[in-house]
Amino acid sequence: MTLRLGYGTNGLTDLRLDDALGLLADLGYDGVGLTLDHMHLDPLAPDLAARTRHVARRLGTLGLGVTVETGARYVLDPRRKHGPSLLDPDPDARAARTALLVRAVDIAAELGAHAVHCFSGIAPAGDRAADATTAWHRLTDALTPVLDAATRAGVPLAVEPEPGHLLATLADFHHLRALLGDPAALGLTLDIGHCQCLEPASPAACVKDAAPWLRHVQIEDMRRGVHEHLPFGDGEIDFPPVLEALAATGYDGLTVVELPRHSHAGPELAGASIAFLRAADRTTRSEVTTPC
């Protein structure tokens, strides 16, 4: 299968959204990972429906697919990064995050997105009640309305294992599946760099293991044991085997470059990233088709 590449708007925060989408289309990207944030389709600002329709038209004109991502740092609380989370001790705070995710599902349906991404969050420091059982109960309780909305909308929810979070590994994702009763709307966001960072298996092996649940893929370079998203070539990942594994799964969603701390060089890195990945993809297909 041909790799369908996207680039995350969280790595283009110095650009207006219309300009960012135009840039990605001009560079040859197939789609975009759209992080709902104050500078890019703010989910909490007035006239959301009209603004969403505008973005849908823009995506259609440019021929770009989309995944809706929900990792904005301060979209709910200007003082707490990613706060409140689905694990917040305050039920009203958890409900605010749930409501944001339900809204993201509605936006995704309007945009024709192939998935909505989210993550569990970190158990708040100093929360004495947050033993593992309590934390997992909070997570499943908070996600249930989101999964209901995803089921109604026909847009899968793709939960991302995130280093340092309650749900940090593929094993944790499968634990969540079991706790929720394996709902059809629940899928996986696999971040290739996170596999390199902390999974016991190689990134290519993680792709193969995760294949039945893949609904969204993020990609960047990374080093073992260090959660730092790096431009391609600055880390340790061998990418042709990863891309070969992705092709073998039959995954047809977007593979989105995830460089959220590099907006200062976003346009240049967007160009370099697609060139790197297309070259790695050609290498993969050449190795597969060339006889020994």
Side-chain angles (χ1 to χ4, degrees), residues 117 159-163 170 188-197 199 203 206 214 216-222 227 229 237 256 258 260:
H117 148 280
V159 179
E160 179 188 7
E162 182 80 19
L170 286 173
L188 172 71
T189 292
L190 188 69
D191 187 301
I192 301 303
H194 294 173
C195 297
Q196 176 70 21
C197 179
E199 293 286 352
C206 288
L214 277 184
H216 183 42
V217 176
Q218 296 174 343
I219 194 165
E220 69 285 317
D221 218 338
M222 203 168 286
H227 184 203
H229 291 235
I237 298 175
V256 172
E258 186 79 357

Side-chain angles (χ1 to χ4, degrees), residues 10 21 55 95 115 117 119 138 149 171 174 178-179 181 189:
N10 60 2
L21 297 178
V55 174
H117 148 280
F119 44 58
R138 288 176 181 171
H174 292 306
L179 289 175
T189 292

Side-chain angles (χ1 to χ4, degrees), residues 35-47:
T35 296
L36 304 179
D37 207 346
H38 63 88
M39 76 294 287
H40 290 156
L41 194 53
D42 187 340
L44 303 180
D47 301 320

Side-chain angles (χ1 to χ4, degrees), residues 67-262:
T67 302
V68 169
E69 300 193 352
T70 62
R73 296 184 180 97
Y74 296 99
V75 68
L76 284 176
D77 188 330
R79 293 173 176 81
R80 286 192 296 163
K81 182 181 176 182
H82 298 311
S85 79
L86 297 170
L87 307 177
D88 200 285
D90 180 352
D92 291 337
R94 293 198 300 275
R97 178 61 63 175
T98 295
L100 177 65
L101 294 179
V102 169
R103 183 169 294 192
V105 170
D106 293 339
I107 293 169
E110 180 72 22
L111 296 178
H114 76 84
V116 172
H117 148 280
C118 73
F119 44 58
S120 70
I122 301 168
D127 180 11
R128 296 181 181 179
D131 58 86
T133 300
T134 299
W136 283 105
H137 175 75
R138 288 176 181 171
L139 180 60
T140 57
D141 186 61
L143 280 179
T144 296
V146 187
L147 288 164
D148 290 343
T151 300
R152 291 192 300 270
V155 180
L157 183 69
V159 179
E160 179 188 7
E162 182 80 19
H165 285 212
L166 176 70
L167 198 156
T169 65
L170 286 173
D172 293 331
F173 169 74
H174 292 306
H175 181 58
L176 177 67
R177 285 178 53 234
L179 289 175
L180 287 167
D182 199 15
L186 179 64
L188 172 71
T189 292
L190 188 69
D191 187 301
I192 301 303
H194 294 173
C195 297
Q196 176 70 21
C197 179
L198 52 66
E199 293 286 352
S202 70
C206 288
V207 169
K208 295 174 185 177
D209 292 343
W213 302 278
L214 277 184
R215 301 295 180 268
H216 183 42
V217 176
Q218 296 174 343
I219 194 165
E220 69 285 317
D221 218 338
M222 203 168 286
R223 301 187 183 98
R224 184 70 179 167
V226 182
H227 184 203
E228 182 182 4
H229 291 235
L230 299 172
F232 298 107
D234 288 358
E236 301 169 342
I237 298 175
D238 182 15
F239 283 97
V242 174
L243 303 185
E244 181 181 354
L246 275 172
T249 68
Y251 170 73
D252 61 357
L254 292 172
T255 297
V256 172
V257 178
E258 186 79 357
L259 292 172
R261 296 185 181 274
H262 291 77

